[in-house]
Amino acid sequence: MKRTTRTRLTRGILYAVLLGLVVAAGGAADWAAIRENFFDTEVMRQLWPDIVTVAAKNTLIYTILAFSGGLALSLLLALMKLSPVAPYRWIATAYIEFFRGLPALLVIILFAFAVPIAFGWIPPGGTIGAGVLALVVVSAAYLAETVRAGIQAVPKGQVEAARSLGMNGTWTMVSVVLPQALRIVIPPLTNEFVLLLKDSSLLAIIGASASERELTTFSRDSLTSLSNGTPLIAAAIMYLIITLPLTRVVARLERRTLRSR
Amino acid sequence: MTTSQMTTSEPAIEVHNLYKAFGDNEVLKGIDFDVNPGQVVCVIGPSGSGKSTLLRCVNRLEEPTSGQIVIEGIDITDPETDIDEVRSRIGMVFQQFNLFPHLNVLRNLTIAQQRVKRRGKDEAIDIARKNLEKVGLADREDAYPAHLSGGQQQRVAIARALSMDPDMMLFDEPTSALDPELVGDVLEVMKQLATEGMTMMVVTHEMGFAREVGDRLVFMDDGVIVEDGDPKEVLGNPQQERTQLFLSKVL
C-alpha cells in the first residue's frame, strides 16, 4: 500500500468513527425534552430584557470593579515583591501565596459573612460589595505575579539609561519601567479579566436583591421560579457573547507582540 | 603628552585603587586613573578585560567593591553623595542605545530634562531640538525608536545625553552594535563633540577613532591598566608584551 493511500484510509476511518458517535448520541438523546427544558422560546422571552439590563450589566460592573481594584492592589504587591526591603517582600509573598492557595468561593463567603461579624464593619454595597471586595483581594494575588513578570521583562538597559540621566528610582519606575511593563502584560491581563468575569459567578453564593443579581444568580433564580433549564442556556450565551470577543482580542494581541519582537 | 587644553583645575574623573568583583570573579584589580577636563580618553582591551565595568563604575551603574571614584571633586563612592545629581552631569551612551521605546524621539530627549533638571516643557523642547540638529536628526523628532536605524538611534541617544548639559560623556562601545556602514555617522558626531572640548571617556574597538580623536589611550587587560599614553605611541610602539599581543590581533 502506498503511503498516501494509507494516510487517506486512516483519515477516512477517523471521520467514520466521529460520524458514528454523533449519530449514536443524536439517536439516544430525547430532542423534544431538550428543546422543552433548555431552549424554550417562551421562557427566553420572559427573561428579556432583565438578563441584559440587570444581570449581564451587573456581571460586567462587578468584574470591572474587581479587576480595577485588583490591578491597583497587584501593582502595589508587585512593587513590594521587588523591593530591596526584605519585610515588604515577605509580606507580598505571604499575601500572594495565601490568597492563591484558597478557593475564591471560600474567600467570598468569608468576606460576605464572617468579616462583618468579626469586625462589625459592613463594606460599601453591603453583602454584594463584600463579595466584590473578596474578588479584588483574590484577583490581586494572581495579577501581582503577572505584573511582576512584566516589570522584570523590561530590559535592564532601560533602567540604566534612566538612572544614568539622573532620574531617581521612583521616576524611573513611573515613567520608564511601568509604561513598558503594562504594555507587555496586556495579553495576560486580558486573560485574567476573562477568568475574573467567570469567577464573578461565584457571587451567586451570596443572596442578592433583584437589582443586584449577576448572570449566574439571575439564571439560577429563574431556573427555580420557572422550573425550566432555559435560563442557564441564556446565561451561558450571555457569558460567551462577552468572553469570546475578549479571547479573540488576546489572541490578536499575542500575535502582534510576537511579530514586533 | 595631551593635545587638548590641560587646565590647572581638578581632574574631571579620578579613580583610586578601584576593585570590583562579581561574586568570586575579580573584574577590576586595582585601577588608578584620571581624566582631565577636555580630555578624550579611549579605553581598549580584549573582552572581559574590565573596560566596560570601569566605565560603568564611573557613574556608579556598577557598585565598586572597594576604592574611590571622584567626579569633579565629589567622592561618589561616599554613600552620602547624591548620586542622581552627579549622574545628571555625566552623559552615558550605551552599546545597545537604550532609548525609551514607548516614547518618541523628542520625548526621549525631554523627559529627564523635565524630571531631573526641572526645566519647563518649552525650554526642554528647545534644548532637545538644538541637540537633534547637532546629531543631524532634526527631522526625526516625531519618530519612535523602533522606526530608526541603529546609527540614528545611537545619535538620538547621544543627543539625549547632551540635552542634560553634561560636563563629561561616557561611551560604552557606542558603535559595536552597529552595521559597519552606520558606524561613520556616529563617530562623526563623537569627533565633533571632542573638537568642542567635551571631556570624554570612550570604551571602543575603533582604533582609527582612538588614534585620530583620542588624547590618551588606555590599554586594559585582566582587570588592570597595562599601558596608558599618547594613542599614536601606544598603537605604534607598544611597550608591553600584552599590548603588542592584543594589537597584533586587532590591527
Side-chain angles (χ1 to χ4, degrees), chain B:
Chain B
M1 271 294 289
T2 57
T3 50
S4 75
Q5 59 272 50
M6 276 287 284
T7 48
T8 50
S9 65
E10 64 201 354
I13 304 168
E14 291 171 77
V15 176
H16 301 299
N17 206 23
L18 179 68
Y19 283 82
K20 171 68 186 175
F22 295 100
D24 291 336
N25 182 21
E26 276 213 315
V27 179
L28 298 178
K29 304 167 181 171
I31 302 278
D32 282 286
F33 165 84
D34 48 54
V35 178
N36 288 321
Q39 251 186 349
V40 177
V41 178
C42 294
V43 184
I44 60 169
S47 60
S49 60
K51 53 194 193 302
S52 280
T53 307
L54 170 62
L55 190 81
R56 291 161 58 84
C57 280
V58 169
N59 69 353
R60 237 177 76 190
L61 280 184
E62 298 291 353
E63 208 69 49
T65 307
S66 72
Q68 198 188 27
I69 296 161
V70 181
I71 303 293
E72 296 177 328
I74 299 168
D75 181 359
I76 64 160
T77 35
D78 178 354
E80 295 292 304
T81 303
D82 178 1
I83 188 67
D84 293 332
E85 196 280 321
V86 179
R87 278 180 182 148
S88 73
R89 288 186 280 126
I90 308 175
M92 175 109 180
V93 175
F94 300 87
Q95 182 177 352
Q96 298 296 339
F97 331 131
N98 294 347
L99 293 178
F100 305 131
H102 59 301
L103 304 176
N104 70 17
V105 166
L106 195 64
R107 195 79 190 105
N108 261 279
L109 268 61
T110 56
I111 188 162
Q113 292 188 60
Q114 291 179 258
R115 302 267 200 263
V116 180
K117 292 240 164 196
R118 306 250 155 243
R119 284 179 182 149
K121 192 177 173 195
D122 294 343
E123 189 193 0
I125 289 177
D126 283 347
I127 293 171
R129 289 199 171 126
K130 192 192 76 195
N131 284 305
L132 278 178
E133 196 162 329
K134 192 170 193 167
V135 300
L137 291 168
D139 54 334
R140 302 311 303 271
E141 65 173 51
D142 292 324
Y144 280 82
H147 297 130
L148 300 175
S149 73
Q152 290 173 330
Q153 288 191 51
Q154 194 61 298
R155 284 185 282 152
V156 171
I158 293 172
R160 176 174 70 176
L162 290 176
S163 296
M164 299 297 285
D165 295 329
D167 297 338
M168 64 196 77
M169 294 277 287
L170 309 177
F171 293 85
D172 189 2
E173 303 197 22
T175 56
S176 296
L178 297 177
D179 291 336
E181 75 272 19
L182 303 175
V183 168
D185 289 342
V186 172
L187 290 182
E188 202 49 49
V189 170
M190 291 169 62
K191 197 168 144 185
Q192 185 195 340
L193 271 181
T195 331
E196 290 168 7
M198 176 64 79
T199 310
M200 291 162 66
M201 185 168 164
V202 186
V203 170
T204 187
H205 295 290
E206 297 291 332
M207 300 303 162
F209 178 85
R211 188 199 314 263
E212 194 188 337
V213 183
D215 298 315
R216 242 172 79 201
L217 186 61
V218 172
F219 172 68
M220 280 182 72
D221 191 15
D222 199 25
V224 296
I225 291 177
V226 177
E227 210 155 330
D228 180 349
D230 181 85
K232 294 175 188 66
E233 286 291 308
V234 176
L235 290 173
N237 184 22
Q239 299 302 304
Q240 302 291 325
E241 198 181 325
R242 281 197 275 179
T243 321
Q244 290 161 6
L245 191 67
F246 173 75
L247 290 177
S248 72
K249 282 179 192 157
V250 298
L251 287 181

Side-chain angles (χ1 to χ4, degrees), chain A residues 6 11 24 29 42 44 76-77 95 102 112 118 123 130 135 142 147-148 164 181 207-208 215 230 236-237 240 254:
Chain A
R6 207 165 50 211
R11 200 159 296 169
E42 179 50 37
M44 289 269 187
L76 183 71
L77 286 166
Y95 179 99
L102 291 180
L135 286 178
Y142 288 94
V147 172
R148 181 191 53 80
S164 73
L215 275 169
T230 307
I237 294 169
L240 288 174
E254 275 170 351

Side-chain angles (χ1 to χ4, degrees), chain A residues 33-34 39 47 51 70 74 84 105 112 122 135 149 153 160 227 240 242 253:
Chain A
I34 290 177
F39 297 94
L47 299 174
I51 193 166
S74 74
L105 186 57
I122 295 166
L135 286 178
E160 292 182 348
S227 302
L240 288 174
I242 306 170
L253 287 172

